[in-house]
């Protein structure tokens, strides 16, 4: 994992926070609450953009823009490929530094350093297999328009990429690692709810999930999303959790 450096990066141009919402899995409340959490935890001016196929119900402070078409074959598993649209050479004319956040994260601490941490492209290091270079793309930062080759190569070699990589974050990490541009967030900034917040068995039956020290963005992947965690629900048998009441302290407008 990358350590916190004394050197800081000055963001180029505007600061953007970008999220994506497509299909019916997440309602507009996820975008609205994400905006509110960012506003509480990011000092200074920024622009908040949602790339979406349905802007209904999203608060007016959020700039809603269409998701650039990837023209993927019909009927294939989505696997997050749509996120690669953020690497368009011209993403609706946006310029500056972009911090991408999944709509189902919970922001628990300051986001300021996500814009100043050194690195050309920063992403979460894989939780389950840290010996691999693969990142988790729930949180990544890049300069808008700086990596159009990520998308161009994807468009021209999709069949090959799909055979080699399970999802978009595996392809993205490998592509930028080969160029020497991949770096990771400090380990404690983006903990996994599943791996880092749930007490070890059997204490998970009487101890509630917690926010690890140093956490800034808690990542929900696999088994729970924020309302599940808040209610103490988990979609795997014999993997009980108590209600994570702290979610309500952060995940609100």
């Amino acid at each position: 994992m990358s350590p916190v450096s004394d050197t800081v990066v000055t963001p180029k141009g505007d600061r953007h926070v970008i999220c994506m919402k497509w299909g019916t899995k997440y309602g507009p409340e996820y975008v609205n609450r994400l905006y509110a959490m960012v506003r509480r935890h990011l000092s200074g001016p920024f622009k908040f953009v949602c790339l979406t196929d349905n802007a209904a119900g999203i608060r007016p402070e959020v700039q809603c823009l269409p998701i650039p078409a990837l023209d993927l074959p019909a009927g294939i598993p989505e696997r997050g490929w749509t996120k690669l649209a953020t690497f368009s050479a011209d993403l609706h004319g946006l310029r500056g530094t972009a911090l991408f956040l999944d709509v189902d994260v919970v922001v628990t601490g300051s986001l300021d350093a996500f814009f100043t941490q050194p690195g050309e492209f920063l992403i979460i290091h894989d939780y389950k297999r840290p010996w691999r270079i693969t990142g988790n793309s729930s949180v990544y930062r890049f300069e808008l328009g700086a990596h159009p080759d990520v998308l161009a190569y994807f468009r021209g070699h999709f069949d090959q990429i799909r055979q080699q990589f399970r999802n978009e974050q595996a392809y993205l990490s490998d592509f930028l690692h080969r160029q020497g541009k991949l770096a990771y967030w400090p380990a404690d900034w983006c903990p996994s709810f599943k791996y880092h917040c749930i007490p070890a068995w059997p204490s998970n039956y009487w101890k509630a999930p917690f926010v690890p020290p140093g956490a800034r963005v808690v990542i929900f992947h696999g088994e729970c999303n924020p309302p599940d965690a808040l209610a103490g629900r988990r979609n795997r048998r014999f993997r009980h959790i108590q209600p994570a009441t702290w979610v309500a302290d952060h995940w609100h407008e």
Side-chain angles (χ1 to χ4, degrees):
M1 300 291 184
S2 299
V4 179
S5 172
D6 293 331
T7 303
V8 297
V9 171
T10 302
K12 301 174 184 177
D14 293 331
R15 296 187 304 169
H16 297 80
V17 177
I18 296 178
C19 69
M20 271 189 175
K21 183 182 81 69
W22 68 90
T24 59
K25 184 176 181 179
Y26 300 106
E29 71 276 9
Y30 279 81
V31 179
N32 295 339
R33 294 179 184 190
L34 181 60
Y35 170 83
M37 289 187 290
V38 171
R39 179 67 284 174
R40 290 192 289 270
H41 290 288
L42 181 57
S43 61
F46 65 90
K47 298 179 180 180
F48 193 100
V49 175
C50 179
L51 301 174
T52 185
D53 58 2
N54 184 359
I58 295 178
R59 57 193 294 170
E61 298 94 332
V62 176
Q63 183 180 11
C64 292
L65 297 169
I67 301 171
L70 293 185
D71 300 322
L72 299 178
I76 66 167
E78 204 288 316
R79 305 290 190 197
W81 301 116
T82 304
K83 287 187 187 180
L84 297 176
T86 60
F87 297 98
S88 298
D90 184 0
L91 185 61
H92 298 294
L94 301 176
R95 291 290 180 268
T97 304
L99 177 68
F100 183 93
L101 299 175
D102 274 351
V103 293
D104 61 348
V105 303
V106 172
V107 182
T108 61
S110 174
L111 297 174
D112 292 356
F114 283 89
F115 283 94
T116 58
Q117 176 72 5
E120 186 167 349
F121 177 86
L122 287 130
I123 195 168
I124 304 169
H125 204 175
D126 182 72
Y127 299 115
K128 195 172 182 180
R129 301 176 182 87
W131 58 88
R132 302 192 309 181
I133 61 135
T134 301
N136 178 305
S137 62
S138 295
V139 183
Y140 59 89
R141 191 198 76 206
F142 64 106
E143 293 299 312
L144 287 157
H147 308 287
D149 49 343
V150 168
L151 185 55
Y153 190 86
F154 173 79
R155 290 184 189 278
H157 302 81
F158 176 68
D159 290 339
Q160 173 188 337
I161 289 168
R162 190 180 170 207
Q163 290 178 6
Q164 186 176 357
F165 301 102
R166 182 177 183 274
N167 52 34
E168 133 279 340
Q169 61 191 16
Y171 160 68
L172 175 63
S173 301
D174 180 82
F175 190 92
L176 291 174
H177 170 72
R178 290 175 184 275
Q179 296 181 349
K181 298 176 180 177
L182 184 71
Y184 304 111
W185 300 117
D188 56 349
W189 285 12
C190 303
S192 158
F193 179 80
K194 179 167 65 172
Y195 294 129
H196 303 124
C197 299
I198 299 173
W201 184 89
S203 65
N204 58 305
Y205 279 87
W206 62 84
K207 290 184 179 180
F210 57 93
V211 180
R216 303 182 185 213
V217 182
V218 178
I219 310 305
F220 288 80
H221 58 106
E223 300 172 26
C224 295
N225 61 23
D228 292 328
L230 181 59
R233 292 190 299 262
R234 203 171 180 187
N235 65 8
R236 297 286 295 275
R237 294 184 65 189
F238 309 119
R239 294 193 178 183
H240 174 82
I241 58 170
Q242 293 286 350
T245 57
W246 51 266
V247 170
D249 297 332
H250 302 282
W251 196 64
H252 64 84
E253 292 196 46

